[in-house]
């Protein structure tokens, strides 16, 4: 399943640590599964954020246009050092992987017709699916005792999987409903995700 949510006990990362941490995320996630690797490196390995803070950031990242992990890198960097931190994290996420992508792209288009290459890539996709499932179980563990969260997740899954509802209208409907339900109310204790590290 997953490791228990651990407190963010580490000191705030420097610009260099943000760059290297996001570079580590980007280089670890061949074939996908970036969210799972990001959670493992940021929360479990470096302890920069609690699991609750990470899930809050991931939710925010998914509500904005663009690749989730690019948005997530900006969120993590800005959380610690504002715009400069966001730039450092974004550079770590993009510069080296983009350079490698260009090199592998040239190589791929010269050998992609070989059957062995297709089989290797199929294996990478299977591993990516496993990492995505791992991330799903981590989130499920976080909200297992929250029936409203489970209902929202189930309704979203059914709408997308069986009724083929498009992502944008689904986000525009489910997002405000979820935010309205979880909006802090007077006399209600703030969740751990709202606490500063």
């Amino acid at each position: 399943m997953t490791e228990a949510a651990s407190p963010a006990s580490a000191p705030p990362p420097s610009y260099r640590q943000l760059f290297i941490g996001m570079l580590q995320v980007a280089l670890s996630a061949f074939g996908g599964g970036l969210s799972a690797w990001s959670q493992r490196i940021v929360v479990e390995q470096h302890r920069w954020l609690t699991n609750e803070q990470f899930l809050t950031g991931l939710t925010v990242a998914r509500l904005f246009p663009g690749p989730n992990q690019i948005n997530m890198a900006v969120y993590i960097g800005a959380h610690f050092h504002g715009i400069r931190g966001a730039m450092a994290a974004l550079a770590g996420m993009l510069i080296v992987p983009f350079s490698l992508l260009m090199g592998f792209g040239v190589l791929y288009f010269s050998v992609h017709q070989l059957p062995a290459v297709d089989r290797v890539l199929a294996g990478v996709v299977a591993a990516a699916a496993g990492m995505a499932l791992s991330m799903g179980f981590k989130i499920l563990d976080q909200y297992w005792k929250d029936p409203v969260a489970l209902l929202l997740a189930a309704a979203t899954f059914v709408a997308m999987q069986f009724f083929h509802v498009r992502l944008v209208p689904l986000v525009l409907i489910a997002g405000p409903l979820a935010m309205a339900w979880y909006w802090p109310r007077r006399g209600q204790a703030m969740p751990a995700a709202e606490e500063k590290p």
Side-chain angles (χ1 to χ4, degrees):
M1 179 66 71
T2 181
E3 298 178 19
S6 55
S9 57
S14 63
Y15 296 118
R16 178 175 174 273
Q17 288 172 322
L18 279 172
F19 178 89
I20 293 175
M22 293 300 103
L23 175 61
Q24 191 179 359
V25 171
L27 295 181
S28 298
F30 275 101
L34 274 171
S35 296
W37 280 109
S38 182
Q39 192 273 349
R40 178 163 298 185
I41 291 170
V42 172
V43 177
E44 297 178 5
Q45 181 176 334
H46 294 302
R47 296 176 182 262
W48 291 338
L49 298 176
T50 65
N51 203 38
E52 292 83 359
Q53 289 172 324
F54 180 85
L55 292 177
T56 299
L58 188 60
T59 302
V60 172
R62 286 177 171 168
L63 288 175
F64 284 88
N68 292 337
Q69 286 307 313
I70 297 299
N71 296 343
M72 190 64 188
V74 171
Y75 175 88
I76 293 172
H79 178 81
F80 292 108
H81 297 296
I83 185 66
R84 292 183 179 179
M87 295 300 293
L90 194 60
M93 183 65 75
L94 290 178
I95 291 177
V96 176
F98 179 77
S99 301
L100 290 175
L101 176 65
M102 293 297 101
F104 282 126
V106 172
L107 179 63
Y108 171 76
F109 284 110
S110 65
V111 300
H112 73 284
Q113 293 180 332
L114 297 176
V117 174
D118 285 340
R119 296 306 305 159
V120 169
L121 293 179
V124 173
V125 171
M131 287 187 283
L133 281 174
S134 171
M135 189 63 205
F137 278 109
K138 289 177 187 294
I139 295 175
L140 178 63
D141 184 66
Q142 189 69 35
Y143 291 100
W144 181 247
K145 296 181 180 178
D146 187 339
V148 175
L150 294 178
L151 179 62
L152 285 169
T156 302
F157 174 78
V158 169
M160 294 190 72
Q161 185 65 28
F162 298 105
F163 295 98
H164 306 291
V165 176
R166 293 180 180 275
L167 181 61
V168 171
L170 186 61
V171 168
L172 291 177
I173 294 173
L177 287 176
M179 286 188 283
W181 179 262
Y182 287 99
W183 191 267
R185 294 174 175 79
R186 183 174 299 177
Q188 184 180 22
M190 294 292 289
E194 300 293 332
E195 298 173 357
K196 293 290 183 183

